[in-house]
Amino acid sequence: EDQVTQSPEALRLQEGESSSLNCSYTVSGLRGLFWYRQDPGKGPEFLFTLYSAGEEKEKERLKATLTKKESFLHITAPKPEDSATYLCAVQERSGGSNYKLTFGKGTLLTVNP
Amino acid sequence: SAVISQKPSRDICQRGTSLTIQCQVDSQVTMMFWYRQQPGQSLTLIATANQGSEATYESGFVIDKFPISRPNLTFSTLTVSNMSPEDSSIYLCSVEVSYEQYFGPGTRLTVT
């Protein structure tokens, strides 16, 4: 069965203090790995999809990388507005539910000014 | 991308009643999905809804409890039937566009 584990569960940073969030996964065939940002009371906001090991994508202060077993979301010089829960999800290549996303529990990021 | 709206945004319902949640997308999409996010838990897929066919339910979810309609390529409804306090959750509609999945704002349901 697919499993997605995110660490740490919570991370508190000072403004400007760079760090990384981890998402490890086990899936028989990866179709895609997704990163989302979720603010309190809102739906997940799409950030990135990664499809193959070695792939990297960037958006402002965020950079996502992918290996065969895990993905990292690097946050460079974060600002207080980057505070949110970051969710990782995997999509398996084959099976009855080709489009199903299996989510981790998320990392709650707090950036203090 | 896609812009998704949901109605209602939140509701408080009595045990034993039913609530229908609407999902509207600003473009035609083949696949629509319904997820549940229970307090402190990760998102879980309830079912996949294709236009013109019956919804496909994930293990642990049944049509009698969560009937879904998909009358056209921009709209879907999810009904939570015979509600109990355990159904208190955020219900989210999602669509896939060019291999990317986008989510609506969610419907926060509280069952008393």
Side-chain angles (χ1 to χ4, degrees), chain A residues 31 34 36 38 40-46 49 51 57 87 91 96-97 99-106, chain B residues 31 33 35 37 40-45 48 56 58 90 92 96 98-106 108:
Chain A
R31 182 173 184 254
F34 295 69
Y36 292 88
Q38 187 172 28
K42 296 188 176 182
E45 174 190 346
F46 173 81
T49 308
Y51 297 100
K57 288 190 177 177
L87 301 172
Q91 192 175 53
S97 299
Y99 300 91
K100 171 185 177 180
L101 292 181
T102 301
F103 280 85
K105 292 188 176 182
Chain B
M31 311 288 289
F33 312 91
Y35 285 81
Q37 188 173 29
Q41 301 298 314
S42 57
L43 280 77
T44 302
L45 180 64
T48 301
T56 303
E58 295 298 307
I90 299 173
L92 295 145
E96 178 157 314
S98 300
Y99 299 106
E100 297 174 351
Q101 280 201 19
Y102 298 92
F103 285 82
R108 182 180 294 272

Side-chain angles (χ1 to χ4, degrees), chain A residues 6-12 19-23 86 106-109:
Chain A
Q6 291 189 246
S7 61
E9 292 185 6
L11 180 63
R12 190 177 293 270
S19 188
S20 296
L21 312 182
N22 178 262
C23 172
Y86 290 84
T107 294
L108 175 61
L109 174 66

Side-chain angles (χ1 to χ4, degrees), chain A:
Chain A
E1 185 173 332
D2 296 352
Q3 185 171 3
V4 182
T5 304
Q6 291 189 246
S7 61
E9 292 185 6
L11 180 63
R12 190 177 293 270
L13 300 173
Q14 288 298 122
E15 184 172 2
E17 179 186 2
S18 302
S19 188
S20 296
L21 312 182
N22 178 262
C23 172
S24 62
Y25 64 92
T26 55
V27 63
S28 54
L30 182 70
R31 182 173 184 254
L33 185 140
F34 295 69
W35 282 100
Y36 292 88
R37 169 191 171 128
Q38 187 172 28
D39 293 299
K42 296 188 176 182
E45 174 190 346
F46 173 81
L47 293 174
F48 305 108
T49 308
L50 302 168
Y51 297 100
S52 57
E55 189 175 3
E56 300 182 351
K57 288 190 177 177
E58 290 188 63
K59 179 180 180 179
E60 296 180 356
R61 294 178 292 280
L62 301 176
K63 178 181 175 180
T65 62
L66 180 65
T67 72
K68 288 186 178 181
K69 294 184 177 182
E70 59 190 350
S71 177
F72 291 94
L73 184 65
H74 307 278
I75 303 175
T76 302
K79 298 181 177 182
E81 53 262 42
D82 295 322
S83 297
T85 296
Y86 290 84
L87 301 172
C88 170
V90 297
Q91 192 175 53
E92 192 173 10
R93 187 187 306 280
S94 61
S97 299
N98 280 338
Y99 300 91
K100 171 185 177 180
L101 292 181
T102 301
F103 280 85
K105 292 188 176 182
T107 294
L108 175 61
L109 174 66
T110 304
V111 182
N112 296 316

